[in-house]
Amino acid sequence: VQVNYADILISAVRPEQYPDEGLPEIALAGRSNVGKSSFINTMINRKKLARTSSKPGKTRTLNFFNINHDFLFVDVPGYGYAKVSKSEREKWSQMMEDYFSAREELSLVVQIVDFRHEPTELDIQMYEYLKYFDLPVLIVATKADKIKKSRYNKHLSQLKKALNVDDEDHIVIYSSHTLDGKEEAWSIMLDYIRN
Ligand code: GDP
């Protein structure tokens, strides 16, 4: 896939602020530091489009990126910062629920996990949350370059088991360093955008 155009469209918190072009959306969720911006940037061949606002203390917004005027990537702020106040957490939950429960344009959620380690409690909760809203999920298991190929199957089955992955969902083993998994991830995403 050739990406000729990629730019931030808007950072939104409330539904009134969401774009209204009607383009299909692919949301990206993942624990902070899991490799989400690297995934986005390598998928679209940009160095730092998604230098996200997901750093602690920064405003936590949904960042909508227009990709080729074909679809939008929606970068969801990374979950799992220890030092967030209760009121901030509540704002975050409200924002997530507003978006995931009712967004018509949402076609697929990409949940990024770290292929090196078993999913955390937060990864498990996130996946359950997405399935509660009946959303199709592509799990991207990234940092695969850190794992020997001979260990892939073991890590893969642990991942499937821990998340209790739905038969209809997809898992792609990915590396932002080697770009392994990139074509496969695109082909799955395109299926959802075009349906
Ligand atoms: P984010 O907070 O989820 O957006 O994570 P980043 O994309 O900023 O990545 C966090 C750290 O993991 C950075 O130091 C990246 O260089 C590193 N990283 C991201 N993807 C990969 C990968 O596929 N392989 C390896 N080895 N490191 C990665």
Side-chain angles (χ1 to χ4, degrees):
V1 173
Q2 173 99 15
V3 174
N4 300 311
Y5 180 88
D7 206 359
I8 179 97
L9 189 58
I10 194 166
S11 293
V13 177
R14 294 185 309 278
E16 312 87 81
Q17 302 167 322
Y18 299 166
D20 57 7
E21 282 88 346
L23 290 172
E25 290 169 4
I26 296 181
L28 300 114
R31 211 152 24 85
S32 322
N33 224 27
V34 74
K36 181 155 58 80
S37 6
S38 303
F39 172 76
I40 298 174
N41 289 326
T42 49
M43 287 296 284
I44 63 176
N45 296 322
R46 294 296 188 279
K47 285 241 153 53
K48 48 178 181 185
L49 181 73
R51 197 50 265 160
T52 45
S53 58
S54 60
K55 290 284 164 286
K58 292 269 175 59
T59 323
R60 321 194 82 212
T61 55
L62 296 170
N63 294 332
F64 293 77
F65 296 95
N66 180 335
I67 309 298
N68 276 349
H69 305 285
D70 257 348
F71 74 96
L72 307 181
F73 264 147
V74 184
D75 190 8
V76 172
Y79 49 87
Y81 275 116
K83 292 194 212 99
V84 215
S85 66
K86 188 164 176 241
S87 81
E88 250 188 284
R89 245 193 336 260
E90 280 165 3
K91 271 191 234 159
W92 186 80
S93 306
Q94 185 63 56
M95 182 174 81
M96 299 287 276
E97 192 176 326
D98 287 343
Y99 182 73
F100 285 120
S101 68
R103 183 65 169 165
E104 296 270 323
E105 288 84 346
L106 180 56
S107 309
L108 175 70
V109 183
V110 176
Q111 182 179 357
I112 321 274
V113 298
D114 189 332
F115 195 46
R116 296 174 299 176
H117 311 295
E118 290 214 34
T120 67
E121 198 50 47
L122 284 168
D123 292 328
I124 296 168
Q125 281 172 17
M126 186 68 192
Y127 184 72
E128 276 176 0
Y129 182 80
L130 298 171
K131 296 324 288 181
Y132 171 79
F133 292 117
D134 248 333
L135 294 162
V137 179
L138 161 59
I139 293 159
V140 167
T142 194
K143 307 195 185 181
D145 55 281
K146 293 285 196 184
I147 301 279
K148 287 203 194 98
K149 289 241 159 79
S150 60
R151 315 263 306 161
Y152 273 22
N153 276 336
K154 180 163 178 276
H155 284 245
L156 194 57
S157 55
Q158 279 175 346
L159 176 61
K160 282 185 187 159
K161 190 170 166 218
L163 292 185
N164 191 15
V165 176
D166 200 316
D167 283 339
E168 287 167 24
D169 286 336
H170 308 265
I171 304 180
V172 169
I173 298 170
Y174 194 83
S175 165
S176 294
H177 288 189
T178 65
L179 304 184
D180 273 358
K182 184 171 163 177
E183 289 313 313
E184 194 186 354
W186 266 119
S187 122
I188 294 165
M189 293 194 321
L190 291 177
D191 273 349
Y192 284 87
I193 296 164
R194 287 172 184 159
N195 280 331

